Amino acid sequence: MSPASKPKFKNPRAKFNYEGRPVSVTGVGSYVPAKVLTNHDLEKMVETSDEWITSRTGIKERRIAAAGEFTSDLATKAAQRAIKMAGITADKIDLIIVATITPDLPFPSTACLVQQKLGARRCAAFDLEAACSGFIYGLEIGQQFIMSRTYDTVLVIGAEKLSTIVDWQDRNTCVLFGDGAGAVILQNRPNSHGLLTAVMGADGSKADLLSMPAGGSRCPATAASVAARLHYLRMDGKETFKNAVQAMLTAAQEALRRCEIDIAQIKCVIPHQANRRIIDAVGERLGVGSEQLFVNLDRYGNTSAASVAIALDEAVSSGKIHRGDLILLVVFGAGLTWGAAVIEW
Ligand SMILES: CC(C)(COP(=O)(O)OP(=O)(O)OC[C@H]1O[C@@H](n2cnc3c(N)ncnc32)[C@H](O)[C@@H]1OP(=O)(O)O)[C@@H](O)C(=O)NCCC(=O)NCCS
């Protein structure tokens, strides 16, 4: 991109004395399991139809991890691709953050398991739980460590094996979700603004809209909790939908406002891939053109924390994003949580 055609914007971090330490994505990668579960397959499992799922959500198929393939395995494969693109080795990583609601185990963290699988011996590692918003939360947290000169190289992963917490007898939810992982390497790249801003929000008063009732300290696993199917995710679809549209819109507008840019300056908008109707409602209100919007939920459904990370990788590898382009990520999830990030690629 020539200097003359470079989009103009304000860097909101400039006031924090960040000089010399802007944080860029220097590598991105994703991985989805091989097994495809189509809407027609679901017709044989619950009372539903391809027509209903497609018209209400835009989803045609999703990926399902194998029995012996865990969240840490998906995360590791995505991370290896991001590491390769960044041109580094695993021992260069200072910190691993894994955003997930489906860790391999309640503890230790999936990030520690990924560290071991990558052979990234000298780094810190922890999990982050912000549901579908986890990847943007992870980007913001990761960049803080680099901007503050605490670390040089941070690996942020969104990874989920949602097929293990989906109730395959509940047609209201089982058609929506899938498994997968996406990862980025964050580093300082001179002469680039990188991650310009990240908006993060939460509203715990609406925690009940989307949750997994049992398995935590409130309701530990018992024969009764298992029999009542409380170890699966539950959702009020209609209320979640309404909140998603409003929160994503507000977060995206705030991110654009901070950077003093107009939506027309954004090359690629990558929204959380939950429902095509949510994406279109947000896109329409923001004034996003169809050529700006990146959508892959028809192939993967909602992969929660992995969703925008996988989409980012596919947008980059398909040539939709080039160095210097401005991109907007916008997410929403259980918590409730939401977020938006503007990145100069
Ligand atoms: C779940 C969702 C697709 C349902 O769409 P909707 O427009 O609210 O649903 P509708 O009101 O048109 O339809 C509901 C009816 O369809 C039925 N239905 C639900 N799932 C169905 C399915 N898979 N197949 C067929 N029928 C289904 C319901 O039982 C209900 O029937 P009833 O009216 O006889 O009670 C939608 O609410 C949604 O996407 N919400 C947000 C979910 C989300 O993204 N969550 C994650 C956020 S990170």
Side-chain angles (χ1 to χ4, degrees), residues 18-23 145-152 188:
Y18 82 110
E19 280 307 325
R21 276 308 253 197
V23 178
F145 280 101
I146 298 171
M147 196 172 71
S148 67
R149 296 172 191 269
T150 307
Y151 293 134
D152 291 325
N188 168 241

Side-chain angles (χ1 to χ4, degrees), residues 47-49 52-53 56-57 132 171-172 175-177 210 235 237-238 240-241 272 274-275 277-278 302 332-333:
E47 203 183 322
T48 190
S49 65
W52 193 96
I53 302 169
R56 295 309 205 302
T57 72
C132 305
R171 69 175 184 173
N172 290 294
V175 302
L176 302 174
F177 299 98
L210 179 50
M235 180 181 69
K238 274 201 191 316
T240 304
F241 189 110
H272 177 47
N275 182 316
R277 289 187 298 145
I278 294 177
N302 181 350
F332 173 83

Side-chain angles (χ1 to χ4, degrees), residues 271-338:
H272 177 47
Q273 310 282 314
N275 182 316
R276 181 73 213 212
R277 289 187 298 145
I278 294 177
I279 293 173
D280 288 344
V282 174
E284 200 176 294
R285 287 166 174 79
L286 271 179
V288 179
S290 57
E291 74 294 344
Q292 289 171 288
L293 201 57
F294 191 85
V295 177
N296 64 4
L297 96 165
D298 50 321
R299 288 178 289 126
Y300 304 132
N302 181 350
T303 57
S304 190
S307 169
V308 286
I310 297 171
L312 176 63
D313 181 43
E314 292 197 345
V316 171
S317 58
S318 66
K320 224 175 146 56
I321 300 173
H322 298 100
R323 182 69 74 86
D325 288 343
L326 291 176
I327 64 171
L328 171 69
L329 309 181
V330 53
V331 296
F332 173 83
L336 300 176
T337 55
W338 56 86

Side-chain angles (χ1 to χ4, degrees), residues 92-164:
K92 288 278 180 291
I93 297 166
D94 299 305
L95 172 66
I96 298 174
I97 303 173
V98 175
T100 186
I101 55 167
T102 48
D104 286 26
L105 306 161
F107 72 89
S109 71
T110 300
C112 285
L113 306 178
V114 171
Q115 181 210 37
Q116 193 271 328
K117 287 178 184 180
L118 287 175
R121 270 180 287 278
R122 60 170 202 94
C123 65
F126 66 87
D127 284 3
L128 182 169
E129 210 275 69
C132 305
S133 307
F135 185 70
I136 284 188
Y137 271 58
L139 283 183
E140 174 66 358
I141 295 166
Q143 78 85 30
Q144 296 284 343
F145 280 101
I146 298 171
M147 196 172 71
S148 67
R149 296 172 191 269
T150 307
Y151 293 134
D152 291 325
T153 303
V154 177
L155 168 60
V156 180
I157 308 171
E160 303 285 8
K161 188 176 178 181
L162 294 172
S163 57
T164 56

